[in-house]
Amino acid sequence: MKLPFTLLSPSQENCLPLVFDSPHSGINFPSDFKSEVPLSQLKSGWDAFIDDLWQDAVKVGGHLLHADFSRMYIDPNRAPNDIDPALLDAPWHECQPTKYSERGMGLIRRYALPNVAMYKEPLSRAQIEHRIKHYYQPYHQALSATLAKLHQDFGAVWHIDCHSMKSKGNGMNIDNGVARPDIILGDNLGQAAGAEFVQVVEDAFSKRGYNVVRNTPYKGGYLVTHYGNIKDNRHSMQIEINRALYMNEKAFTPNDNYHNFKQDISQVVKDIADYVSANV
Ligand SMILES: [Zn+2]
């Protein structure tokens, strides 16, 4: 079976303990996915082009991991037991739904958009276990093995979890209807990444004219909280980019600014790599 992710690695000689991951830029739906929700609506959760925008990470010594499957199938940025029992055809003791499941967007989405249910029929435990085993776990294994190896080799590792956000939240978001800034950095309120590192990332964006906000409304999801451990020199932070900066949000196509924005991201990546390189 083909691996459900792509992992791009730098050359041996310029390898840095720096890892970027994009869990939501995949748009493949495995054949066991049965939903009547049209693709145009399933795309709402797609972090389109994020894997492409961060591509230069590899040139400066970083790794870049991105999922090939859609987060509407299973979401790597959730705890593996963040499952809404209402999705299931029978009780399952494994379910530990969190605030994400309550909003319809747990490990397995219950709603594609507000009031748009993903499934007509309940799912079986076996169907969900299949998604975990063949998609969720391989993604996490690739990420954790990459982070562990770099941490072992360098004594520290810096991880950036890359996302995009709609320019305005909808009814499933905690900031329904509010216009969002250009960039939101999430470090779990200072607990997942060192302050100096987060400042470097903030400066990299703000000096290029972007308005940057920290932790509001996104303080980082499961990936950042799960992999960040400052005491052990494992730094993990999330970057949310406003989609209006580089794409037509309705058509899901690059806009006229795409090329310019991608060049800015390449410069941001360089600043981040310079910081990591000076600290190993
Ligand atoms: Zn995302």
Side-chain angles (χ1 to χ4, degrees):
M1 191 169 155
K2 190 191 165 294
L3 289 170
F5 58 81
T6 302
L7 175 60
L8 304 169
S9 304
S11 66
Q12 196 79 44
E13 33 316 339
N14 72 346
C15 177
L16 288 172
L18 175 61
V19 179
F20 294 80
D21 94 297
S22 169
H24 296 158
S25 56
I27 195 65
N28 293 343
F29 290 94
S31 57
D32 61 296
F33 177 76
K34 307 262 186 282
S35 170
E36 284 170 29
V37 177
L39 184 61
S40 58
Q41 295 187 341
L42 292 173
K43 277 182 176 173
S44 63
W46 180 33
D47 288 348
F49 316 121
I50 285 294
D51 49 335
D52 180 61
L53 288 170
W54 289 97
Q55 214 177 51
D56 278 356
V58 182
K59 282 191 200 153
V60 299
H63 286 73
L64 175 60
L65 171 72
H66 58 95
D68 297 333
F69 55 93
S70 168
R71 60 98 62 96
M72 294 297 205
Y73 177 70
I74 189 165
D75 191 341
N77 199 23
R78 299 290 183 261
N81 54 8
D82 188 354
I83 300 165
D84 186 339
L87 283 164
L88 284 155
D89 62 0
W92 186 15
H93 62 86
E94 193 66 21
C95 299
Q96 298 284 341
T98 71
K99 59 186 179 178
Y100 296 114
S101 279
E102 273 166 37
R103 302 207 316 266
M105 47 199 296
L107 179 76
I108 309 289
R109 298 276 286 222
R110 189 165 167 208
Y111 294 100
L113 288 166
N115 304 312
V116 180
M118 289 286 294
Y119 305 101
K120 279 207 154 158
E121 305 287 328
L123 300 173
S124 69
R125 172 179 163 174
Q127 282 175 302
I128 294 180
E129 283 176 330
H130 173 85
R131 298 182 191 193
I132 293 173
K133 185 169 173 210
H134 296 290
Y135 296 87
Y136 181 95
Q137 284 176 348
Y139 186 84
H140 275 272
Q141 276 155 10
L143 181 57
S144 64
T146 305
L147 294 171
K149 172 82 172 73
L150 293 168
H151 187 265
Q152 189 180 43
D153 292 350
F154 292 88
V157 69
W158 287 267
H159 163 228
I160 294 187
D161 181 38
C162 307
H163 296 264
S164 72
M165 57 187 170
K166 299 182 286 290
S167 55
K168 254 185 198 174
N170 69 25
M172 282 168 73
N173 303 125
I174 44 185
D175 59 343
N176 187 11
V178 177
R180 291 167 169 166
D182 294 331
I183 307 289
I184 299 176
L185 305 181
D187 61 0
N188 195 20
L189 306 171
Q191 291 180 59
E196 215 179 64
F197 176 55
V198 181
Q199 191 62 50
V200 165
V201 178
E202 178 170 326
D203 292 348
F205 281 104
S206 55
K207 78 182 185 199
R208 293 180 173 89
Y210 298 100
N211 69 316
V212 184
V213 167
R214 288 197 199 179
N215 294 306
T216 310
Y218 297 117
K219 62 187 174 81
Y222 177 74
L223 282 154
V224 162
T225 48
H226 185 68
Y227 291 106
N229 182 350
I230 302 177
K231 279 195 201 118
D232 197 26
N233 250 329
R234 297 170 195 272
H235 304 274
S236 201
M237 64 179 288
Q238 176 176 287
I239 301 181
E240 290 273 3
I241 300 175
N242 190 318
R243 291 178 186 169
L245 289 170
Y246 61 92
M247 64 182 255
N248 177 319
E249 291 185 81
K250 277 208 173 118
F252 280 85
T253 51
N255 68 16
D256 291 346
N257 192 47
Y258 189 90
H259 184 67
N260 287 338
F261 186 69
K262 188 175 172 180
Q263 282 182 331
D264 279 349
I265 292 288
S266 299
Q267 295 303 312
V268 166
V269 156
K270 246 187 123 284
D271 287 1
I272 295 170
D274 286 347
Y275 171 79
V276 169
S277 168
N279 282 277
V280 290

